[in-house]
């Protein structure tokens, strides 16, 4: 009898299109879920007869309490090689193997610039006005050339965002708790003396940090108050790095010019969530990693992971 493999959150129903599942087709029946399953009880019910789960990024938590309720579960394949919402100890205790896939930093870099440019030039507002027969030109764009781009984080993604900023003729600064001058010099950017100095001096601030104990709530009301009233904030990293209530308050009060956000405290975002109607906000539904090439990697390597597991030699094991 074939094993059953659940592909979670395949909103566009492309998992079986962008990858070749034929290497496991004789052994595995693929079940696609194209809507989000919210809550442990609902997940336990939906996955009761599932042996393998393919999950996108960190969208669906797998705590020990859920894993214990899934006695048939044998393998979890998560896209990316880092996942903070899977209880690895519980998985090991219940003999569940956890594997990952590669993930490109190119898509989030590109989306960061889509949001930043969209904010700077009022693209959504102007396009909406034009299509609705509104007034011809309503906004005055913010220049990038010569302006200061401040980056919180200068890792793989942050450094690539920095190089694009330099190509635009921007002055680029970076800060993180572990950032060294040598690393800043290597990328060709200024090392900000402190987080506070970076926020106060920047015209655009973009977040590129991993979420952890030291970065959770890193930007709260006090930090957002340091931004210029003409400054823009972009977050394509993790929602919890920026205090969501403080950001909403800053946007509503007009204390900053605007924000571009791709990550939220609850995903998918509920219909009545205040982020859906916040002023001065350009928001996208966590599209940072959502490109055809990245999905081909995720699902193609998920198939590889399933095949390797079935053959008794799991690959790219996590953590």
């Amino acid at each position: 009898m074939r094993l059953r493999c659940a592909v979670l959150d395949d909103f566009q129903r492309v998992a079986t299109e962008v990858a070749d599942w034929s290497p496991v087709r004789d052994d595995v029946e693929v079940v696609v879920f194209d809507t989000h399953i919210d809550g442990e009880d609902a997940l336990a019910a939906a996955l009761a007869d599932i042996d393998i789960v393919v999950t996108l990024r960190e969208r669906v938590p797998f705590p020990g309490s859920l894993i214990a309720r899934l006695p048939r579960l044998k393998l979890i394949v998560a896209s990316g090689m880092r996942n903070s919402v899977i209880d690895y100890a519980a998985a090991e205790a219940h003999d569940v193997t956890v594997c990952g896939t590669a993930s490109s930093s190119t898509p989030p870099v590109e989306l960061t610039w889509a949001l930043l440019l969209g904010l700077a030039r009022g693209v959504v507002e102007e396009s909406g006005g034009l299509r609705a027969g509104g007034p011809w030109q309503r906004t005055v764009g913010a220049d990038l050339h010569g302006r200061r781009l401040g980056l919180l984080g200068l890792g793989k993604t942050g450094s690539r965002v920095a190089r694009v900023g330099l190509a635009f003729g921007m002055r680029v600064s970076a800060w993180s708790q572990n950032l060294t001058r040598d690393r800043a010099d290597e990328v060709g950017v200024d090392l900000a003396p402190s987080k506070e100095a970076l926020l106060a001096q920047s015209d655009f601030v973009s977040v590129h940090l991993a979420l952890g104990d030291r970065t959770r709530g890193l930007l709260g009301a006090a930090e957002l108050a340091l931004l210029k009233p003409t400054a823009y904030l972009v977050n394509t990293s993790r929602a919890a790095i920026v205090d969501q209530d403080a950001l909403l308050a800053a946007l509503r009060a007009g204390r900053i010019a605007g924000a571009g956000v791709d990550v939220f405290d609850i995903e998918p975002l509920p219909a009545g969530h205040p982020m859906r109607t916040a002023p001065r906000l350009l928001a996208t539904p966590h599209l940072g990693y959502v490109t055809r090439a990245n999905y081909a990697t995720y699902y193609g390597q998920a198939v590889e992971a399933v095949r390797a597991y079935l053959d008794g030699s799991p690959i790219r094991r996590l953590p």
Side-chain angles (χ1 to χ4, degrees), residues 244-261:
Q244 301 295 281
D245 291 336
L247 177 58
L248 281 167
L251 291 169
R252 287 167 176 161
R255 290 196 294 271
I256 60 175
V261 173

Side-chain angles (χ1 to χ4, degrees), residues 3-176:
L3 301 180
R4 303 192 82 223
C5 173
V7 178
L8 301 181
D9 292 330
D10 184 12
F11 301 131
Q12 301 92 348
R13 297 190 69 86
V14 295
T16 57
E17 173 194 332
V18 299
D20 177 12
W21 289 76
S22 63
V24 299
R25 190 170 295 140
D26 291 342
D27 302 295
V28 174
E29 175 190 359
V30 179
V31 182
V32 171
F33 290 86
D34 60 3
T35 57
H36 184 66
I37 306 170
D38 192 25
E40 184 174 312
D41 289 344
L43 280 163
L47 303 179
D49 62 349
I50 294 297
D51 305 283
I52 300 168
V53 168
V54 176
T55 182
L56 278 175
R57 307 298 292 171
E58 297 170 322
R59 178 160 292 145
V60 178
F62 279 86
S65 55
L66 175 60
I67 292 172
R69 297 171 67 179
L70 301 174
R72 282 188 53 168
L73 185 62
K74 300 175 178 65
L75 172 67
I76 299 173
V77 183
S79 57
M81 290 301 293
R82 177 189 301 166
N83 194 301
S84 64
V85 298
I86 296 173
D87 186 330
Y88 295 107
E92 183 178 4
H94 289 84
D95 199 27
V96 176
T97 301
V98 183
C99 299
T101 75
S103 184
S104 173
S105 64
T106 299
V109 170
E110 294 173 351
L111 185 71
T112 294
W113 280 101
L115 291 173
L116 195 152
L117 288 164
L119 286 168
R121 300 304 298 268
V123 170
V124 174
E125 182 178 352
E126 294 289 4
S127 176
L130 184 149
R131 293 171 66 88
W136 185 260
Q137 296 185 2
R138 295 190 279 189
T139 63
V140 177
D143 295 282
L144 270 60
H145 185 86
R147 302 281 78 79
R148 174 73 65 180
L149 171 62
L151 301 175
L152 292 169
L154 199 62
K156 186 185 299 184
T157 302
S159 61
R160 296 180 73 172
V161 171
R163 293 184 177 105
V164 177
L166 292 170
F168 273 115
M170 302 183 79
R171 297 173 295 151
V172 183
S173 302
W175 176 90
S176 73

Side-chain angles (χ1 to χ4, degrees), residues 291-313:
T291 67
R292 182 162 291 272
N294 223 21
Y295 269 28
T297 297
Y298 288 170
Y299 293 119
Q301 292 195 3
V303 174
E304 293 175 359
V306 172
R307 184 68 266 166
Y309 173 83
L310 295 174
D311 292 340
S313 302

